[in-house]
Amino acid sequence: MKKPPRKKRKKLKWTRFVLLLVFILVLGASGTAFGMVLVSLKDLPAVNLDNLAPNAATLIYDKDGNLVTEVGLENRVPVDIEEVPPLVKKAFLAAEDNRFYQHHGVDLRAIARAAWHNVTSGTTQGGSTITQQLVKTCFLTPEQTFKRKIQEAYLAIQLERRYTKDEIFEMYLNWVYFGEGAYGIQAAAHTYFGKDVRELDLAEAAMLAGVLRGPSLYSPYRRPEAAVQRRNTVLDSMVRYGYISPDEAAEAKRQPIELKASSIDDRQYPYPYFIDYVTEQLVARYGEAKVFREGLKVYTTLDPKIQGYAEAALADKSNFPATTRDKNGILQPQGAAVVLDPHTGYIKAIVGGREHTQARQLNRATHSHRQPGSAFKPIFVYAPAVDRLGMGPASVIDDIPLKFPNWTPTNYDGRYRGLVTMRTAITWSINIAAIQVLQKVTLPAAVNFARQLGISTLHPDKEGLAAALGGLYEGVTPLEMAGAYGAFANGGVYVEPTAIIRVEERNGTVLEEFVPRKKRVMKPTTAWLITDMLRSVVR
């Protein structure tokens, strides 16, 4: 009996397999994307005019709960879109959304272009439309998540269905923040140029359009060179999109930025350096919208009495040698002061310079990295020597000439004292002794020790033996130095400095309450011995 013939097994074609695999992947990705969209739209905020209500100021209080000032009272003058010159509109379209009048809230072409740019160049470029930016400003949080992007896109489409393009453009120009306390195009025109928006020329319009990308980065008051470069970039975009001719752009680029000199100096507020620092911390934590528009209650560590004394000391010319002004009109020499409680880390006063104007508001106490000089020796050399090597005030160091390749260090008075104790070395700030001790401690150990004391700017691969004398690659801020020395006064416990005690919503809901962050960074005996040796300097 014959066996039935076997059926030939069909060979699996690789093309079919690949197509099947792609289909499954696409199906899975589509399902994931659909689920993400559903989740994103579930808690979508409503789009209504109530969200465009006047903004609330953030209230800042001192250590006793007394109101010091309000941050965010808006310098805003609404303007009708018909009052904005066509050239000004074109500058903003070129800078932010050239296809604004063609898309329906979301520009897929711009998103694709930005994605390609981000992948190929390694730098970040956004693809948000003007409508999306308005939605983000008025209805959403500043967080960068896929959920927020989906909500932003959906709301932008809904906004386009409810309002005309000109209405959206008008709301955008009246809402956006231009820096230096100016909200909206009209306020910005007055703040920077002392002009009505109808009087802006091409160069001024391009500068204002450029500022939006980063009000603090491109402020012509604070960073004039960056502002000019950004303005010129906007002018180039206007040429590329056919809004102006190359000759018009070239003429505008040759035009210097002429600012309204008094517009920034006229607006002053109490304890400006302290308030600037607090505001900066708030914006970093909660975003500009929360701070400048929604309004918070912020209770700080500010001691008005101490702050007043510190400001007076920096303003007193008798505390400085002959005073001059440099080519930028800034007083020289300069100074800064930080006063804090070493046990709590509460900053009582911050003064970042001898005078404060919003046109030149560099806070030297918190942002200016300077060489600490011999003040760094206890932090970087002697404290780790005592704590890690068991050295002490009576330890003997040989103060003799040293020579290294490309460097021959000397003592400040040119003398060499031979065998000296550590106490003597600290008392007379002997450079050679500090270098000798650092060699025993080793640079990696010294860097690690100083970092534990809050010195964040040290570079292990770039610091050398000159760091024993306070010659650092980058430098330190007065605030970091105050925090580090606080650990000696606090028995070896470092407390992270803070200027904010509590932050509340307008309705009293506590957003954050700051508890002093403490950590032991050295033995109590080390802190005591360093403090005792530092007393010898004063005596």
Side-chain angles (χ1 to χ4, degrees), residues 182-203:
Y183 290 85
I185 183 68
Q186 183 72 293
H190 281 284
T191 297
Y192 289 105
F193 304 114
K195 293 183 176 182
D196 187 274
V197 67
R198 291 170 292 191
E199 302 170 331
L200 293 174
D201 61 28
L202 173 59

Side-chain angles (χ1 to χ4, degrees), residues 376 380 446-448 450-451 455-460 463 467 472 474-476:
F376 207 56
F380 198 72
V447 168
N448 182 63
R451 281 180 166 178
I455 308 297
S456 63
T457 52
L458 295 173
H459 298 264
E463 308 296 352
L472 307 180
E474 186 173 346
V476 296

